[in-house]
Amino acid sequence: MSQCCPMNSASRHIILIGLMGCGKTTIGRELQRTMDLIFSDTDQMIEEQEGMSIPAIFQEHGEAHFRNLETQVLRSYLSLTNGRSYVISTGGGMVLRQENRELLQQMGFVVWLNADVNTLVQRVMRSDNRPLLHHVNPEETLERLAVERDPLYAETAHLSIDTANLSVGEIAFGIMESARVFFLDKRNKC
Ligand code: S3P
């Protein structure tokens, strides 16, 4: 029985993926509130673990080191033993490694929050903590990242939502209902 049913508390999370500015934190917080999930953010986990901000990690140790830390953090969700389900907001580059894409899918229901580049630019301009957007035209960078990463988000996600014209409540409701069907379907197959 356990062989045919790989789902346990470690694989019942909701994981949000997408480019910087797509709304992962806002939607994650809303799902935390409405679904009584624990909210977790991979960037925040890394900052706490390293005792450094993301820009400082990029500056002192480089992007490759940061990507290793991302993989370590993802693995740690699979060994959680508290039996609780989480909503996990991931850094925009989390899908770059194949290993991460596989881990994300093992962890639960993966949702890609998608938005056009103009919408993303409006949202990221409000913050200064994204090293990949320092020094260059953020619009050009986000366009390039979207071309590179959209196929990876699409390949990894169980659900994709175009967030540009939806309210936070509508997006969260859509995710909640889809996650319910996803987990029920998984359970029925066991
Ligand atoms: C990154 C996105 C950031 C953060 C880091 C790198 C990326 O997270 O992980 O600055 O490669 O797209 P957010 O998507 O939460 O801004």
Side-chain angles (χ1 to χ4, degrees), residues 18-21 24 43 54 58 63 66-67 70 90-93 129-132 145 149:
L19 280 177
M20 294 174 266
K24 290 166 289 189
D43 283 343
I54 301 292
F58 268 70
E63 183 173 344
F66 173 75
R67 299 297 173 204
E70 285 192 311
T90 59
N129 67 346
R130 294 181 167 106
L132 293 181
L145 293 177
R149 295 179 181 177

Side-chain angles (χ1 to χ4, degrees), residues 118-129:
N118 281 343
T119 306
L120 297 176
V121 172
Q122 299 303 317
R123 294 179 186 157
V124 296
M125 294 310 269
R126 292 182 219 137
S127 111
D128 185 35
N129 67 346

Side-chain angles (χ1 to χ4, degrees), residues 6 12 24 28 36 49 69-70 74 117 122 160 170 181:
R12 287 192 55 94
K24 290 166 289 189
D36 193 26
Q49 182 187 300
L69 296 172
E70 285 192 311
L74 274 197
V117 168
Q122 299 303 317
S160 155
E170 287 167 335
V181 172

